[in-house]
């Protein structure tokens, strides 16, 4: 019998036949698919004919279709509906897959063909998109080290494997420190804490087998504790432990590991011909150079710091009124900021919730896509991997565009967070394929299901990613949809969040679950104001981390990263009552792997663009301006990675983004 994952899918729109697939199918399907992919790769590499775009680059694009199927099905269920068997499979697959893909990127015969095409690129008569795919394919090989020979090649392999194991140790040490520390709370210690923090502390105590409730170093518990506990002594103790993660001495100390990682990264960049690791890393990003990143961050830093310093004075006064003298400390900020928030814009979450029904918010996200891009959504009756999933047929002018799947509810088998992925990416080669796109969220179930305002924003965010996939209109899969630079990929998603805040959208869709009344204007205004609260603090803690990350990689590797961190913060004039969002010994974004190393800035980079891009709509006459919507689709949502991100943005906006809209949006300068 054929494995259902590898068979032809005869389901509507060739959605994966989840009902026919059992967990026992994954492992044999993966082995078979990798074998088939390897055979295809070997055939391309060993082709006796002279390399052509078709027999090399297009052949690579077309290869691995079975593997795509296995991985898309497996990772969909492993993330959104796991079980012990799937977890075991994930552990089994991860080293297999990394060996498989690194085998391809270090295939010398294959690289020779790509490199040959690259030298002859001007004579190949390629379309703009083909030239781009050739450039990206070639660059991918070179950056992975495929062009290195002899000792350099051997050293590169050594560095890569050492970096992989150091990254894992960094993560494990951090987890160990987070797991080992907790602080017991007596009933008296919990006075003043809201119910949800008390409940979380009790649950954490049970999990730790403690005598009673505890505070742990999990962000979801310690942050509310710091926000709400009136006990300054306990806040200090908890904060100090939180800030010391990865720097407690002994076996789990991350400081030496961080130093080693920075040295190895620098050497790796040098082997590949770059001066610094930041130059290597940023080459593929929209920002391109460390100077441009620093420039942008500093434009945000100064107004953010000024705001934070003004806020610090207000909070210090509040603290002194409580009878504490001396300066405001890092363990005080959140507590007094929360008090101030309550006094200045008390927003009653419980009263707000009935206005944000999940089903109405889904309708709102669809309605905006309809007005902007003419998309229509019709429910599809199809079996998916979990009964909570829903699917829609997405059409425009009667033509099928995509399948959109929403899996909205939290459950034990789903990992935390929210994400968007393409179960099948859009492409026209080797055949036309319409995308199948899924949004996975973790909203509380209910009848009807009600969202917090943050939840509603998440829904719009993920749907923005989905639009980037669904409206994609390119030939080659490797550049379709969200296959763009990391500092560009959050633009469509963060931009889409702005439509939730359009008053006419909330007026139509934020209706009370029982009375059907629209959200009162006053409540709406409170929601919007609360979103901008304490942005001086938020921006400072983030930008400080991003600037330290950049300083680590933009030059010689520091022998003592902690000293370097101290220097950078001193030079910036870091406000004393604000800590870095992530300090070096627990900066997992930067040290657990390569993903965000000298790339932590990218959240801010995208935010500058989304604020600036939405301002383009407002300048043009409103959130639904049809010309702007068309420009957005033509230049950003349909184009994937077919052109440089900067060119795409320029084509949409007519100029590069400026920071003004962001500073206004965060309330850091006057609107
Ligand atoms: Zn996102």
């Amino acid at each position: 019998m054929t494995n259902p994952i590898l068979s032809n899918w005869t389901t509507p729109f060739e959605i994966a036949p989840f009902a026919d697939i059992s967990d026992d199918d994954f492992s044999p399907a993966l082995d078979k698919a990798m074998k088939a992919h390897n055979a295809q790769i070997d055939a391309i590499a060993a082709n006796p004919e002279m390399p052509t775009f078709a027999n090399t680059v297009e052949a690579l694009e077309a290869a691995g279709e079975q593997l795509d199927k296995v991985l898309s099905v497996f990772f969909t269920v492993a993330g959104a509906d796991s079980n012990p068997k799937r977890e075991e499979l994930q552990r089994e697959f991860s080293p297999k897959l990394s060996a498989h893909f690194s085998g391809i990127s270090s295939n010398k015969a294959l690289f020779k063909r790509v490199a040959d095409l690259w030298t002859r690129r001007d004579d190949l008569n390629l379309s703009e998109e083909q030239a781009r795919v050739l450039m990206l394919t070639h660059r991918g090989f070179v950056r992975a080290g495929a062009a290195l020979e002899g000792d350099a090649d051997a050293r590169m392999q050594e560095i890569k494997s050492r970096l992989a194991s150091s990254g894992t140790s960094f993560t494990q040490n951090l987890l160990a420190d987070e797991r080992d520390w907790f602080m017991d709370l007596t009933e008296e210690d919990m006075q003043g804490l809201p119910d949800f923090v008390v409940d979380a502390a009790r649950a954490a105590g049970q999990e730790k087998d403690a005598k009673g409730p505890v505070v742990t170093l999990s962000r979801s518990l310690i942050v509310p504790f710091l926000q709400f506990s009136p006990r300054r002594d306990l806040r200090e103790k908890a904060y100090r432990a939180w800030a010391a993660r990865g720097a407690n001495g002994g076996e789990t100390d991350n400081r030496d590991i961080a130093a080693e990682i920075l040295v190895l990264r620098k050497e790796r960049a040098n082997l590949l011909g770059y001066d610094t690791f930041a130059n290597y890393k940023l080459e593929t990003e929209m920002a391109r150079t460390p100077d441009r990143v620093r420039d942008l961050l500093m434009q945000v830093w100064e107004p953010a710091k000024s705001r934070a310093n003004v806020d610090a004075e207000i909070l210090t006064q509040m603290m002194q009124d409580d009878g504490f003298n001396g300066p405001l400390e890092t363990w005080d900020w959140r507590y007094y900021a929360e008090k101030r928030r309550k006094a200045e814009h008390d927003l009653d979450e419980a009263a707000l919730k009935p206005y944000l029904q999940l089903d109405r918010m889904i309708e709102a996200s669809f309605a905006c896509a309809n007005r902007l891009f003419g998309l229509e959504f019709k429910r599809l009756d199809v079996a998916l991997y979990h009964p909570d999933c829903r699917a829609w047929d997405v059409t425009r002018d009667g033509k099928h565009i995509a399948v959109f799947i929403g899996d909205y509810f939290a459950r034990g088998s789903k990992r935390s967070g929210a994400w968007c992925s393409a179960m099948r990416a859009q492409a026209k080669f080797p055949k036309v394929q319409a995308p199948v796109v899924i949004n996975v969220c973790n909203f509380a179930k209910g009848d009807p299901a009600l969202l917090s305002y943050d939840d509603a924003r998440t829904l719009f965010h993920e749907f923005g990613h989905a639009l980037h996939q669904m409206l994609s209109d390119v030939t080659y899969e490797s550049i379709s949809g969200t296959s763009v630079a990391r500092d560009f990929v959050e633009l469509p998603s963060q931009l889409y969040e702005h439509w939730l805040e359009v008053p006419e959208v909330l007026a139509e869709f934020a209706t009370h679950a029982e009375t059907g009344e629209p959200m009162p204007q006053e409540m709406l205004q409170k929601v919007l104001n609360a979103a901008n609260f304490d942005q001086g603090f938020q921006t400072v803690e983030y930008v400080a981390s991003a600037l330290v990350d950049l300083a680590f990689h933009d030059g010689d590797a520091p022998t003592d990263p902690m000293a370097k961190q101290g220097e950078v913060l001193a030079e910036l004039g870091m406000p004393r009552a604000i800590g870095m969002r992530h300090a070096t010994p627990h900066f997992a974004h930067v040290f657990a792997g390569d993903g965000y190393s000298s790339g932590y800035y990218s959240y801010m980079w995208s935010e500058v663009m989304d604020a600036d891009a939405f301002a383009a709509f407002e300048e043009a006459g409103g959130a639904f301006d049809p010309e702007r919507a068309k420009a957005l689709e033509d230049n950003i949502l349909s184009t994937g990675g077919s052109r440089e991100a900067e060119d795409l943005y320029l084509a949409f906006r007519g100029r590069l983004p400026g920071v003004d809209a962001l500073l206004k949006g965060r309330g850091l300068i006057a609107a």
Side-chain angles (χ1 to χ4, degrees):
M1 215 180 88
T2 7
N3 192 308
I5 305 173
L6 301 177
S7 65
N8 280 332
W9 296 349
T10 53
T11 40
F13 304 109
E14 296 175 61
I15 297 170
F18 290 104
D20 303 337
I21 297 170
S22 90
D23 287 346
D24 293 332
D25 293 324
F26 287 117
S27 200
L30 181 74
D31 287 341
K32 230 180 140 185
M34 285 197 304
K35 230 173 134 183
H37 193 209
N38 279 331
Q40 290 170 318
I41 297 293
D42 290 344
I44 299 167
N47 191 335
E49 285 166 36
M50 192 172 150
T52 62
F53 185 79
N55 73 17
T56 305
V57 178
E58 279 192 336
L60 279 172
E61 287 281 327
E65 70 285 8
Q66 289 196 346
L67 193 54
D68 284 351
K69 279 177 141 179
V70 183
L71 297 183
S72 81
V73 177
F74 179 71
F75 285 110
T76 298
V77 297
D81 196 23
S82 201
N83 59 35
K85 170 80 184 170
R86 290 171 184 173
E87 279 164 28
E88 189 192 312
L89 287 170
Q90 214 168 348
R91 282 191 292 273
E92 177 192 324
F93 288 180
S94 142
K96 271 190 186 177
L97 286 168
S98 78
H100 177 76
F101 289 111
S102 85
I104 296 171
S105 62
S106 59
N107 184 321
K108 299 276 177 200
L110 184 60
F111 173 64
K112 260 181 90 174
R113 295 180 69 85
V114 173
D116 176 61
L117 288 171
W118 177 244
T119 15
R120 293 188 288 116
R121 61 191 178 276
D122 292 336
D123 309 323
L124 299 174
N125 212 2
L126 301 177
S127 70
E128 195 189 350
E129 191 181 330
Q130 289 172 328
R132 172 90 180 156
V133 172
L134 172 59
M135 186 280 283
L136 292 171
T137 306
H138 179 253
R139 190 171 75 181
F141 275 104
V142 172
R143 289 172 61 84
L148 298 179
E149 307 276 354
D151 288 352
D153 189 16
R155 179 65 186 147
M156 178 61 89
Q157 299 313 324
E158 231 174 293
I159 291 175
K160 275 194 198 168
S161 94
R162 182 70 200 149
L163 278 172
S165 65
S166 303
T168 308
S169 309
F170 190 95
T171 311
Q172 283 168 346
N173 290 341
L174 185 53
L175 287 173
D177 277 11
E178 287 178 355
R179 198 180 47 228
D180 292 349
W181 189 92
F182 60 86
M183 178 172 77
D184 291 306
L185 295 176
T186 63
E187 292 300 320
E188 194 198 328
D189 294 339
M190 294 199 295
Q191 275 174 23
L193 295 179
D195 289 348
F196 83 94
V197 184
V198 171
D199 291 346
R202 290 193 201 286
Q206 282 179 356
E207 215 184 287
K208 298 276 179 206
D209 267 329
K211 297 183 292 288
V214 301
V215 175
T216 66
L217 299 180
S218 152
R219 190 172 269 273
S220 61
L221 179 53
I222 192 163
V223 169
F225 182 79
L226 293 170
Q227 249 171 328
F228 291 104
S229 174
R231 286 280 300 276
R232 194 176 191 215
D233 57 332
L234 298 181
R235 291 200 311 264
E236 174 173 357
K237 195 173 163 202
Y239 184 88
R240 285 188 186 279
W242 194 39
R245 284 168 301 150
N248 286 309
E251 284 191 351
T252 59
D253 198 300
N254 271 335
R255 286 171 288 189
D256 288 346
I257 298 179
E260 189 203 358
I261 288 175
L262 294 174
V263 169
L264 290 173
R265 282 182 182 157
K266 172 82 177 358
E267 189 184 346
R268 176 176 173 183
N270 290 159
L271 278 172
L272 293 169
Y274 301 86
D275 279 354
T276 67
F277 183 80
N279 282 321
Y280 160 71
K281 198 63 203 298
L282 292 168
E283 180 192 29
T284 57
E285 300 299 313
M286 178 173 172
R288 286 196 169 272
T289 69
D291 284 347
R292 288 181 62 183
V293 171
R294 190 174 296 102
D295 208 51
L296 173 112
L297 291 173
M298 289 312 292
Q299 287 182 58
V300 178
W301 171 259
E302 287 301 334
K305 185 173 75 173
S306 307
R307 165 51 54 88
N309 284 335
V310 171
D311 289 341
E313 278 175 38
I314 296 169
L315 302 183
T316 304
Q317 188 57 55
M318 290 170 71
M319 184 178 82
Q320 286 170 358
D321 293 347
D322 269 358
F324 295 104
N325 288 317
L328 189 76
E329 300 288 355
T330 38
W331 46 88
D332 297 319
W333 189 292
R334 289 180 174 82
Y335 176 71
Y336 287 101
E338 174 58 27
K339 267 192 147 178
R340 184 180 169 204
R341 189 193 66 80
K342 213 161 161 39
E344 288 180 12
H345 1 236
D346 193 19
L347 179 67
D348 184 354
E349 281 275 341
L352 172 65
K353 266 202 155 186
Y355 289 98
L356 300 172
Q357 304 175 60
L358 170 65
D359 287 356
R360 295 291 283 151
M361 288 299 112
I362 295 171
E363 279 179 51
S365 67
F366 289 175
C368 292
N370 178 268
R371 279 184 73 179
L372 291 163
F373 313 114
L375 299 181
E376 290 179 81
F377 298 80
K378 207 177 99 212
R379 268 303 275 274
L380 262 179
D381 185 20
V382 55
L384 295 161
Y385 58 88
H386 192 280
D388 283 348
C389 297
R390 356 181 165 176
W392 288 267
D393 176 14
V394 185
T395 59
R396 175 155 59 188
D397 302 328
K399 188 175 164 278
H400 176 71
I401 297 274
V403 170
F404 175 69
I405 298 170
D407 177 3
Y408 296 107
F409 296 126
R411 55 177 169 264
S413 62
K414 196 187 272 190
R415 69 176 161 89
S416 59
W419 62 96
C420 170
S421 51
M423 287 166 60
R424 184 166 60 234
Q426 180 273 331
K428 295 178 212 167
F429 178 89
K431 63 180 173 57
V432 173
Q433 59 184 38
V436 176
V437 181
I438 181 166
N439 276 179
V440 183
C441 303
N442 268 291
F443 302 145
K445 228 172 174 171
D447 186 23
L450 302 175
L451 305 182
S452 69
Y453 192 72
D454 271 354
D455 291 340
R457 220 171 31 209
T458 299
L459 184 128
F460 270 68
H461 179 100
E462 298 308 332
F463 194 71
H465 283 306
L467 287 170
H468 201 186
Q469 300 279 12
M470 296 193 289
L471 292 172
S472 178
D473 185 22
V474 299
T475 303
Y476 299 105
E477 186 172 329
S478 66
I479 54 163
S480 93
T482 53
S483 301
V484 297
R486 186 184 296 276
D487 58 5
F488 192 69
V489 75
E490 296 298 331
L491 167 61
S493 52
Q494 293 181 177
L495 176 58
Y496 207 66
E497 292 175 29
H498 290 268
W499 274 276
L500 173 63
E501 294 182 357
V502 173
E504 61 189 283
V505 174
L506 280 177
E508 185 176 354
F509 294 96
T511 53
H512 197 278
E514 277 153 33
T515 66
E517 292 290 317
M519 184 186 292
Q521 200 55 40
E522 194 199 22
M523 182 181 272
L524 174 65
Q525 207 46 52
K526 273 187 175 176
V527 170
L528 300 179
N529 292 344
N532 280 337
F533 183 68
D534 213 19
Q535 286 297 327
F537 172 88
Q538 310 252 0
T539 313
V540 160
E541 66 159 9
Y542 167 84
V543 175
S545 291
L547 284 165
V548 168
D549 166 37
L550 188 68
F552 278 164
H553 297 100
D554 182 25
D556 283 334
T559 42
D560 181 351
M562 295 307 284
K564 180 79 181 176
Q565 170 184 305
E567 268 167 44
V568 174
L569 296 181
E571 208 174 303
L572 285 170
M574 181 77 170
R576 75 167 278 146
I578 303 181
M580 292 168 72
R581 187 169 168 87
H582 307 282
T584 304
H586 48 261
F587 205 163
H589 285 81
V590 170
F591 293 107
D594 251 3
Y596 279 94
S597 50
S598 77
Y600 192 62
Y601 76 92
S602 48
Y603 298 97
M604 181 62 70
W605 188 274
S606 292
E607 196 181 321
V608 164
M609 271 190 292
D610 79 65
D612 185 70
F614 192 71
F617 280 86
E618 288 173 327
E619 287 160 19
F624 294 99
D625 182 74
E627 276 169 44
R628 284 294 176 183
K630 186 173 182 327
L632 182 66
E633 181 177 349
D634 289 352
N635 299 298
I636 290 174
L637 295 177
S638 67
T639 40
S642 61
R643 292 165 60 199
E644 286 296 320
E646 182 167 313
D647 296 343
L648 296 176
Y649 196 85
L650 271 172
F652 163 68
R653 188 64 159 120
R655 61 163 174 78
L656 286 174
V659 298
D660 273 16
L662 171 122
L663 294 175
K664 282 180 199 152
R666 286 198 168 210
L668 299 175
I669 56 172

